[in-house]
DNA sequence: GAGCACCGCGAACAGTATGAACACAAGCGG
DNA sequence: CCGCTTGTGTTCATACTGTTCGCGGTGCTC
């Protein structure tokens, strides 16, 4: 049922200082149906220049910016703030390797429509762009009829975090495990401790911790010094 | 353990020119758990003054603005734009009777976290505030671990309307299910329990509970401790 | 009023997330 | 080096999940 999307493609400006990464992102954009690359900028200044050219009609319009947060001459957040101050309402998808909640809050307050953490694969990237395309199509019309339609537009921007987890694991339990590891005072837990904390069996706790270790979220470490076999502790990083 | 929300309430500034409506909105805010009214402004100037007082420490901080779009001296959109230009990252819920997609687009680009169309009842209002509270709690921590967590935070802001029901569901059955969940002593039911309660099949009970979970009315939680596959219980919030 | 298309519901079934039980491994003390 | 102690890692029964598909009711057409 993914309709072939006959309307004009969404024109994307890629802003990213690293040339190889910029090319990769541009290639990703081109691969997603309904999008086309409008340009690539490697600095904040270059991005602003391209946007001004576009807005003043010298180059075709730009609908969306794929904006790296860390730029040589500014940050994506500051760049975005100055856009808003100029009354430019262009939509922005933030791309960053920084894992700081303050950046997320700033991004939200500046009207960023999607937030992508580097590194990401094409599937994660395409999911964000497709969600934006749904939103873009919905608010294209001149009037909104009611609250439901507004809610539907907002809902289109939410992504389903469709990371497929291996057989035997549930999202619900995994979220609880991750929360427990994140909030543990020592930053590390054994399987038995986690089991007691979450009221799970040690077997189950171990299954999830092993999964987190395999995917690189936590790392294994021995805990020696006590009589008996040493415990394996799973340390967050 | 569903913690009873002990953290500090979210302080809300109500901005609305019509005095009666402003009072009504303030009363609504006070009724929602976890929120408190920080002040009422009837004009854009007054709002800015109150915000400045707050930011400069003369009055307690303000976390959230409930912002009417039509004001006597400016529009909520322009007010919001000047806030962003000043680097103020306060969160905003827009309230408006205007049904114009351009306003929605502007609102999104200015980082408005929720959008409410007047007139609205308390249920619709509370839904938006509760969604914001979820978001606020999620991004409160200093670091975000990964993409999934960011997605979850964004998803909290982007509620889908619970009013339109997908194929396969009946309004009447849905109402019965909601009533049963609301009146359940434990505040949580499994699909099988609901089925027994309403004399439905477990399949149907599950369909409706899943819908309620997707729209954020209830949340899923595992029920562990017994041998065998764990039950999924649906907990009202 | 008969035929027809649709749609919400549930019986049945395959799949799967969990924990009890158990065999084994690793450090420690004699 | 051998038992002792403590936690690891695995197997498997188990009970619930999630899905498929046919039934029966409702409304619409002719």
């Amino acid at each position: 049922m993914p309709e072939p999307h006959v309307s004009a493609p969404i024109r994307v400006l890629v802003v990213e200082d690293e040339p190889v990464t910029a090319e990769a992102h541009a290639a990703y954009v081109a691969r997603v149906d309904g999008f086309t690359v409008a340009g690539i900028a490697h600095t904040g200044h270059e991005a602003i220049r391209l946007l001004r050219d576009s807005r003043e009609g010298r180059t075709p319009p730009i609908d969306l910016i794929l904006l790296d947060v860390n730029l040589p001459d500014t940050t994506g957040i500051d760049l975005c703030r100055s856009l808003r101050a100029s009354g430019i309402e262009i939509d922005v998808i933030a791309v960053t390797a920084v894992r700081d909640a303050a950046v997320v809050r700033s991004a939200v307050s500046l009207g960023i429509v999607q937030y992508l953490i580097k590194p990401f694969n094409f599937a994660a990237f395409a999911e964000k762009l497709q969600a934006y395309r749904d939103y873009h199509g919905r608010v294209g019309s001149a009037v909104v009829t009611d609250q439901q339609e507004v809610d539907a537009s907002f809902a289109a921007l939410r992504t389903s975090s469709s990371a497929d987890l291996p057989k035997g694991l549930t999202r619900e339990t995994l979220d609880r495990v991750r929360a427990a590891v994140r909030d543990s005072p020592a930053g590390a837990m054994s399987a038995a401790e986690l089991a007691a904390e979450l009221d799970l069996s040690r077997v189950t706790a171990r299954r999830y911790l092993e999964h987190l270790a395999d995917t690189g979220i936590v790392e294994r470490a021995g805990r020696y010094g006590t009589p008996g076999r040493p415990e394996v502790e799973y340390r967050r990083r």
Side-chain angles (χ1 to χ4, degrees), chain A:
Chain A
M1 70 213 70
E3 58 220 39
H5 213 72
V6 287
S7 58
I10 296 168
R11 300 179 52 82
V12 184
L13 173 64
V14 176
V15 183
E16 161 70 53
D17 58 338
E18 178 63 41
V20 178
T21 312
E23 281 299 329
H25 289 180
Y28 272 2
V29 169
R31 276 177 66 188
V32 181
D33 189 41
F35 290 86
T36 185
V37 179
I40 299 180
H42 298 96
T43 65
H45 273 96
E46 200 179 341
I48 287 173
R49 186 172 55 76
L50 287 173
L51 283 170
R52 190 163 44 217
D53 285 356
S54 153
R55 284 182 67 79
E56 292 172 3
R58 286 193 291 276
T59 54
I62 291 171
D63 304 306
L64 176 68
I65 312 179
L66 198 67
L67 181 60
D68 188 30
V69 171
N70 288 98
L71 294 171
D73 53 347
T74 178
T75 73
I77 298 297
D78 284 337
L79 175 57
C80 200
R81 181 147 39 230
S82 61
L83 289 181
R84 299 308 184 216
S86 315
I88 299 176
E89 296 183 345
I90 193 164
D91 292 318
V92 175
I93 295 182
V95 176
T96 176
V98 178
R99 294 165 184 237
D100 187 345
V103 175
V104 177
R105 280 196 297 270
S106 298
V108 168
S109 83
L110 289 167
I112 264 127
V113 291
Q114 296 287 354
Y115 193 98
L116 256 173
I117 292 182
K118 288 197 281 192
F120 50 82
N121 56 21
F122 178 70
F125 178 82
E127 183 182 309
K128 297 287 174 286
L129 253 65
Q130 280 155 5
Y132 173 74
R133 192 183 56 202
D134 287 349
Y135 162 77
H136 190 261
R138 278 187 171 278
V139 298
S141 62
V143 291
V144 291
T145 60
D146 57 4
Q147 184 72 51
Q148 261 184 44
E149 207 164 315
V150 175
D151 284 349
S153 300
F154 272 61
L157 282 176
R158 100 194 237 193
T159 49
S160 53
S161 69
S162 62
D164 44 2
L165 52 167
K167 299 280 187 197
L169 275 61
T170 46
R171 161 129 343 263
E172 177 55 42
T173 309
L174 183 59
D175 286 348
R176 292 207 328 143
V177 168
R178 282 219 312 239
V181 171
R182 187 184 54 233
D183 299 339
S184 74
M189 307 183 83
S190 74
E193 287 165 0
L194 179 66
E197 174 96 10
L198 294 187
D199 204 18
L200 290 168
S201 76
R202 186 183 55 83
V203 179
T204 302
R206 180 184 174 283
R207 260 197 287 263
Y208 283 88
L209 287 171
E210 281 296 315
H211 170 69
L212 290 181
D214 286 347
T215 53
I217 311 273
V218 302
E219 59 185 357
R220 298 184 192 84
R223 186 187 290 173
Y224 304 94
T226 53
R229 177 169 175 167
E231 281 183 87
V232 174
E233 76 178 10
Y234 298 82
R235 179 180 303 281
R236 70 160 171 259
R237 29 184 177 184

